[in-house]
Amino acid sequence: MKSLKSVSTVIGVALLLLAVLCYFINWHALVPAFTVLGIAIITRKALEPLIIGCAIGFILLAQQGGSAEWFPEGQGMIFPLNMFDGLFSSIARDAHDGGLIWVILVCILYGAFVQMVVASGGIKAVGKYSENHVKTKKQSLLMTYWLSFFFFLDDYFSALSVGNTMRPITDKFGVSRDKLALVLSFVCVPLTIIFPISTWTIFYGTQLTSIEGGVLDGKGEAITSPIEAFMHTIPYNFSAWISLILGALVVYEFLPDFKGIKEAEATVVIKEEKEKTSKKDKKEGKVIYFLLPLLVLIFCTVFPYPFDFDYWGPSFEFDINYIFGSIDALRGIATACVFVYFYFLLFKIVDFHKISDNFVKGLETITFVLAVLGFTYLLKDVQNGLGFNEFVASHLEGISWLNGSTLPFIVFALVAWICWATGSNWGIYAILVPTTAILSTQFHADFWLTQGALASGTVWGAAACFFSDNRVLTAQSCKVDMMKHGISQFPYQLIIFVVSSVIYLVAGFIL
């Protein structure tokens, strides 16, 4: 473990030196990102590096006179006044756009939902039921892998639910929590971008259908459905497919553990837990306490309410675009929380005080996550204020060997590292989907392959980033240090990146 820390320190120092170099050659847009990554790798912390990176970004903005587009109120302000003003501006802007509010509400309600189900004994019952079928360490990892496929609607939901459900079982069989988190990282994010019913599907598909001039299907007709548009990219989301395959190789033990995971596995101590029977807790949880809320969550996420006759009325069609055209993760989790609350109270599964306490406890467990997310949004805005996107675009245009065959590879590689460096993924869609569409037309590249490369790059960046929202939630549910988890799973992510890059490069010349 000491050698791993030494390597991490060397990499972190190298990134900080790179940030200094970028400052002196006036590549200011890259300084905050390299600073955050360097400090995060050295300290293995998430929040502090983001705060420092944002502070350095605002120092640079103060030197340049501020950003007229991103922080107009802070023009001419000195540091740290411009940072306080910028934090307010960033939150207000993202809240006005709805993106930040949506993420906050989904996060805190998922936290409350999971905590209430845990309090009912439902998740523990799933664990006990699983123990009747899980007899070995390998089987516990297999169950973790395949159980994740049932939580395809959202990566937040998958990370929180599967981690909390499987952690007691994998602990029992001596699986390190680092490896549990690794298996989740193989599935949670990739699954949401190759399954046609997810929050990522709707968002990305909407960006595609919003492209000026529209996008056409194979018959030359304009595509208006986000689901239909998204489904054209599924075969080309190579990094997501490779991640699922690599995850299977790990859990089926066809691929040996790399150094970080191997060291974590070697330090695991299996603790024999003696269950104490409490007179106060005579009731045992049942699997139905987990399954019924889950079914309500899935149904209300995919479909509108049964009394919504505008949807279920005479115009209802048995068409995938119609049925799945109204997916709403916030509606689903909000409804599920209300259902769980009253279901547990009415049937006296959990008493009023206990369910209320656990509801609040669930909200509190996401506080750190929300703080990290808030500064991630701020970092993104700071980099935009420093001209990060324009910097990338200008250097992309300067590549002499950029053509229709190499464009998918360049888009994937560039977007992957941008998302890895910034922790942003959905924001990248809004910025680069139209740009990628223009470039694919300009260079006569395959449109869907290029868009698939864009989606694939964001997925890889989100899964590989040390401080992305999914990394935070995965570490939270597996009860493992976030930076330790990020570093231990990164070698596997590099394999995914290299293999995907090769495939995109080959596909660009073939298609």
Side-chain angles (χ1 to χ4, degrees):
M1 196 65 190
K2 288 183 179 179
S3 60
L4 183 62
K5 289 182 179 179
S6 299
V7 173
S8 301
T9 301
V10 171
I11 295 174
V13 171
L15 288 169
L16 290 178
L17 292 175
L18 191 56
V20 174
L21 177 63
C22 289
Y23 173 78
F24 283 109
I25 62 176
N26 292 322
W27 286 8
H28 293 166
L30 302 181
V31 174
F34 285 132
T35 301
V36 170
L37 289 171
I39 297 175
I41 291 174
I42 293 171
T43 63
R44 302 196 176 195
K45 300 292 183 181
L47 183 58
E48 293 85 347
L50 285 170
I51 295 174
I52 295 171
C54 290
I56 290 176
F58 278 106
I59 291 173
L60 294 174
L61 286 174
Q63 293 177 353
Q64 299 175 12
S67 170
E69 180 180 358
W70 292 92
F71 303 106
E73 300 86 354
Q75 282 191 290
M77 280 189 179
I78 63 172
F79 178 83
L81 295 179
N82 66 340
M83 183 171 177
F84 298 139
D85 182 83
L87 180 60
F88 175 80
S89 298
S90 181
I91 292 174
R93 176 171 49 251
D94 289 314
H96 181 267
D97 293 340
L100 181 60
I101 294 297
W102 188 90
V103 171
I104 289 174
L105 289 175
V106 170
C107 276
I108 62 175
L109 290 177
Y110 271 128
F113 175 81
V114 171
Q115 191 61 41
M116 287 192 294
V117 176
V118 168
S120 73
I123 290 181
K124 188 176 181 180
V126 172
K128 286 186 176 181
Y129 177 81
S130 303
E131 288 178 9
N132 296 328
H133 301 84
V134 176
K135 303 297 182 183
T136 65
K137 179 177 180 178
K138 180 179 178 180
Q139 288 177 355
S140 70
L141 287 172
L142 285 171
M143 183 173 182
T144 300
Y145 179 82
W146 290 112
L147 183 63
S148 300
F149 281 74
F150 290 92
F151 298 86
F152 54 82
L153 289 173
D154 188 79
D155 57 318
Y156 293 172
F157 181 39
S158 180
L160 287 170
S161 300
V162 180
N164 281 292
T165 302
M166 293 305 302
R167 189 180 65 251
I169 301 173
T170 53
D171 282 354
K172 177 183 177 181
F173 289 101
V175 177
S176 68
R177 292 180 176 179
D178 298 77
K179 190 162 187 176
L180 172 64
L182 171 70
V183 174
L184 289 183
S185 69
F186 282 132
V187 186
C188 291
V189 180
L191 194 64
T192 56
I193 205 66
I194 61 175
F195 204 91
I197 312 168
S198 72
T199 51
W200 285 54
T201 300
I202 299 302
F203 186 83
Y204 184 35
T206 302
Q207 301 303 314
L208 287 171
T209 55
S210 299
I211 293 175
E212 187 175 353
V215 291
L216 306 178
D217 59 15
K219 299 177 182 178
E221 299 177 356
I223 299 175
T224 57
S225 167
I227 296 287
E228 183 183 353
F230 170 81
M231 289 182 70
H232 283 80
T233 70
I234 292 177
Y236 306 115
N237 293 331
F238 297 140
S239 75
W241 290 109
I242 294 167
S243 181
L244 294 178
I245 293 170
L246 191 63
L249 293 177
V250 169
V251 297
Y252 279 99
E253 298 180 353
F254 292 116
L255 186 70
D257 293 336
F258 292 166
K259 190 172 183 179
I261 298 298
K262 185 182 293 184
E263 291 179 351
E265 289 284 283
T267 59
V268 174
V269 178
I270 302 177
K271 296 180 180 180
E272 292 292 336
E273 294 185 1
K274 296 181 179 180
E275 293 189 3
K276 296 180 180 180
T277 305
S278 173
K279 294 181 179 180
K280 295 182 180 179
D281 190 19
K282 294 180 180 179
K283 292 184 179 180
E284 289 188 0
K286 298 179 180 179
V287 175
I288 192 66
Y289 300 162
F290 170 76
L291 290 181
L292 192 54
L294 177 61
L295 290 174
V296 171
L297 173 62
I298 293 175
F299 180 88
C300 291
T301 299
V302 176
F303 302 106
Y305 300 125
F307 51 80
D308 185 349
F309 297 110
D310 290 336
Y311 180 87
W312 297 102
S315 60
F316 179 83
E317 299 176 12
F318 286 99
D319 178 77
I320 188 170
N321 294 317
Y322 182 85
I323 292 176
F324 300 128
S326 60
I327 290 179
D328 188 341
L330 182 56
R331 178 187 63 215
I333 189 60
T335 307
C337 283
V338 173
F339 170 79
V340 166
Y341 207 99
F342 286 104
Y343 169 49
F344 289 175
L345 284 179
L346 291 174
F347 289 90
K348 298 181 179 180
I349 297 168
V350 183
D351 64 54
F352 175 75
H353 294 291
K354 186 177 180 181
I355 194 171
S356 296
D357 290 344
N358 278 277
F359 182 85
V360 175
K361 184 179 178 181
L363 302 182
E364 291 173 348
T365 58
I366 306 297
T367 303
F368 176 75
V369 176
L370 296 180
V372 171
L373 288 176
F375 278 97
T376 299
Y377 274 88
L378 181 61
L379 178 66
K380 179 189 69 175
D381 286 347
V382 168
Q383 293 185 137
N384 286 333
L386 290 169
F388 185 87
N389 297 322
E390 292 78 6
F391 177 88
V392 172
S394 63
H395 284 72
L396 183 64
E397 293 173 359
I399 299 176
S400 59
W401 41 272
L402 176 60
N403 54 54
S405 299
T406 59
L407 180 63
F409 159 72
I410 293 174
V411 167
F412 169 72
L414 194 64
V415 169
W417 289 108
I418 290 173
C419 292
W420 178 77
T422 63
S424 173
N425 35 61
W426 284 19
I428 296 297
Y429 288 149
I431 296 168
L432 292 184
V433 164
T435 304
T436 303
I438 293 171
L439 288 173
S440 61
T441 301
Q442 180 181 344
F443 292 105
H444 305 289
D446 186 280
F447 178 84
W448 295 114
L449 175 62
T450 308
Q451 290 295 337
L454 171 59
S456 195
T458 58
V459 167
W460 185 86
C465 180
F466 297 160
F467 52 84
S468 68
D469 48 5
N470 187 268
R471 189 88 303 99
V472 176
L473 292 171
T474 300
Q476 176 94 5
S477 66
C478 296
K479 306 298 181 187
V480 67
D481 180 83
M482 190 184 75
M483 287 308 302
K484 184 183 176 185
H485 161 50
I487 292 171
S488 64
Q489 60 101 40
F490 192 64
Y492 298 90
Q493 296 297 339
L494 285 179
I495 293 176
I496 296 170
F497 176 80
V498 171
V499 175
S500 301
S501 297
V502 172
I503 296 176
Y504 279 116
L505 194 57
V506 172
F509 284 94
I510 294 176
L511 298 178

